[in-house]
């Protein structure tokens, strides 16, 4: 008998077909909303789940799912998973790194440029019929070329963003939990600084750090007050890293120039204050959303699930395990 798995959200049909070779698949191709109770009910009796970054899989849920052996996120971030609880229960947790790095960094650049050069504000202005004539200060923005780029969180995506900065003649500063090896810093032309220096010196600050209790509201009123009044802030990482209310206030009072946000605390709800300030570009968590990358993420999540449940030719070590200690315990 094939093991049963749940795919929590609608997904590319070819991924369902692939999974169906090995598993009895409970899919959600109608994309019905699965709230916590529905998720719990649908997970009963399942050996694995292909989950989405919005599916909260915590200690309480794990405690009522004794048969669950693998939780495979279709996302690089995994703050939706209680990894210590999964590890304690011997459940393999996986994510989808690498395949989305360049697409996400491309989008980071799009959001940064739109923010610095007021692209969405300009389009709204034009569509509203406000463009009557040229004027020297119409929709003036701030430059990227030759400016100082700050990156908070220098993992794979941070490094991909730093590589793009070379073409813009930027000075790159970064802050991270740990400093990168010297050779990597040299190849990226990036200099490690303290968080305070990063806030004070960046003309453009990109947030690409993981979210957890230690990064909750890492950018709040105090940090915003340390930034230049001409600076921009872009959050590509997770909502909750920025205190959205404090940011809306800083934007309204022009204490920083502008912001670009792809992620929000409590998304898909967006803090109402952000919706009423003009100098913020808002996008609905789409940084990895190219068709090619989303297919690669879905296939990687499926490969992880197949390997984690010892099915098919991929039986063994899943390509991207978060809690390797579970794998070593299984051997
Ligand atoms: C998207 O936010 C991801 O973590 O992949």
């Amino acid at each position: 008998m094939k093991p049963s798995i749940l795919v929590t959200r609608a997904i590319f049909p070819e991924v369902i077909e692939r999974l169906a070779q090995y598993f009895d698949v409970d899919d959600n191709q109608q994309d019905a909303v699965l709230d916590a109770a529905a998720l719990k009910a649908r997970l009963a009796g399942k050996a694995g789940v292909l989950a989405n970054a919005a599916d909260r899989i915590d200690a309480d849920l794990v405690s009522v799912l004794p048969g669950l052996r693998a939780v495979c996120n279709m996302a690089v971030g995994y703050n939706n998973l209680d990894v210590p609880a999964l590890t304690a229960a011997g459940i393999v947790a996986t994510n989808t790194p690498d395949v989305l790095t360049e697409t996400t960094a491309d989008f980071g650049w799009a959001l940064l440029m739109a923010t610095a050069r007021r692209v969405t504000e300009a389009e709204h202005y034009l569509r509203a019929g406000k463009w009557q004539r040229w004027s020297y200060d119409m929709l003036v923005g701030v430059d990227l070329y030759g400016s100082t780029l700050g990156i908070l969180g220098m993992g794979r995506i941070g490094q991909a963003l730093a590589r793009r900065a070379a073409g813009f003649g930027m000075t790159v500063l970064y802050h991270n939990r740990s400093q990168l090896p010297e050779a990597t810093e040299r190849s990226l032309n990036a200099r490690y600084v303290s968080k305070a220096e990063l806030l004070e010196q960046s003309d453009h600050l990109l947030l690409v750090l993981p979210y957890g209790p230690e990064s909750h509201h890492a950018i709040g009123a105090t940090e915003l007050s340390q930034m230049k009044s001409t600076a921009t802030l872009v959050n590509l990482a997770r909502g909750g890293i920025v205190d959205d209310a404090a940011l809306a206030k800083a934007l309204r009072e022009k204490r920083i120039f502008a912001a670009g946000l792809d992620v929000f605390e409590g998304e898909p709800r967006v803090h109402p204050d952000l919706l009423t300030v003009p100098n913020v570009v808002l996008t609905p968590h789409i940084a990895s959303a190219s068709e090619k990358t989303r297919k690669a993420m879905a296939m990687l999540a499926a490969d992880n699930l197949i390997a984690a449940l010892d099915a098919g030719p991929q039986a063994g070590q899943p390509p991207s395990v978060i809690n390797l200690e579970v794998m070593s315990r299984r051997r």
Side-chain angles (χ1 to χ4, degrees):
M1 210 174 68
K2 290 176 178 174
S4 294
I5 62 148
L6 173 68
V7 181
T8 65
R9 296 292 310 274
I11 194 78
F12 300 98
E14 57 266 41
V15 175
I16 299 287
E17 277 163 33
R18 178 159 163 64
L19 290 167
Q21 290 172 29
Y22 308 104
F23 306 120
D24 184 3
V25 181
D26 178 7
D27 68 43
N28 183 13
Q29 292 299 77
Q30 301 75 25
D31 224 12
V33 176
L34 296 186
D35 60 14
L39 184 63
K40 184 171 164 182
R42 293 277 285 266
L43 276 172
K46 301 293 183 335
V49 55
L50 195 155
N52 176 276
D55 298 320
R56 175 112 204 93
I57 303 192
D58 58 17
D60 285 349
L61 185 55
V62 165
S63 70
V64 296
L65 300 169
L68 192 64
R69 289 166 51 219
V71 174
C72 300
N73 241 19
M74 184 182 146
V76 64
Y78 49 85
N79 56 297
N80 59 313
L81 308 181
D82 183 336
V83 176
L86 293 173
T87 305
I91 298 169
V92 179
T94 68
N95 65 342
T96 57
D98 299 316
V99 290
L100 49 59
T101 300
E102 302 301 340
T103 299
T104 303
D106 281 352
F107 187 79
W109 222 262
L111 198 49
L112 174 56
M113 295 195 75
T115 301
R117 297 300 302 275
R118 304 172 64 177
V119 173
T120 56
E121 206 184 331
E123 188 184 350
H124 290 145
Y125 181 87
L126 183 152
R127 284 182 190 266
K130 293 183 183 164
W131 184 28
Q132 301 298 335
R133 57 197 176 130
W134 181 91
S135 62
Y136 77 98
D137 62 351
M138 182 174 73
L139 291 158
V140 292
V142 288
D143 282 319
L144 255 68
Y145 193 85
S147 66
T148 296
L149 179 68
I151 302 177
L152 186 57
M154 200 54 147
R156 300 173 183 85
I157 298 169
Q159 293 180 35
L161 287 160
R163 282 195 295 278
R164 283 159 176 74
F168 285 79
M170 291 168 121
T171 299
V172 180
L173 307 177
Y174 77 97
H175 183 73
N176 196 41
R177 269 180 304 202
S178 49
Q179 188 168 354
L180 298 177
E182 213 181 307
T184 312
E185 286 188 338
R186 218 175 308 118
S187 76
L188 296 172
N189 203 16
R191 186 160 62 84
Y192 181 84
V193 293
S194 67
K195 184 177 168 191
E197 287 171 303
L198 191 76
L199 292 166
E200 283 157 21
Q201 293 176 27
S202 298
D203 293 314
H204 305 284
L205 179 58
L206 298 177
L207 308 179
V208 270
L209 66 167
Y211 180 62
E214 65 296 333
S215 60
H216 180 70
H217 289 188
I219 302 293
T222 308
E223 290 75 16
L224 290 162
S225 72
Q226 289 170 264
M227 293 176 67
K228 296 181 185 182
S229 59
T230 50
T232 71
L233 175 74
V234 167
N235 187 6
L236 280 183
R238 279 290 180 270
I241 291 175
V242 174
D243 177 344
D244 290 336
L247 175 62
K249 188 163 187 291
L251 289 167
R252 193 182 306 282
E253 293 170 2
K254 303 226 165 55
R255 282 191 276 111
I256 66 167
F257 181 74
L261 304 173
D262 188 46
V263 286
F264 306 87
E265 190 168 5
E267 65 185 46
R269 197 188 60 85
V270 175
H271 196 293
D273 293 356
L274 286 171
L275 297 172
T276 59
V277 281
N279 48 343
V280 61
V281 179
L282 307 168
T283 54
H285 204 148
I286 55 167
S288 67
S290 78
E291 180 152 351
K292 180 169 159 243
T293 290
R294 284 286 165 85
K295 278 194 175 148
M297 290 166 69
M299 277 300 179
L300 177 53
D303 287 347
N304 277 321
L305 192 48
I306 293 165
L309 294 181
D310 292 319
Q314 263 123 351
Q317 172 101 355
S320 41
V321 182
I322 299 162
N323 53 357
L324 275 170
E325 55 272 53
V326 172
M327 295 309 303
S328 47
R329 251 190 269 147
R330 277 189 185 181
R331 278 188 212 112

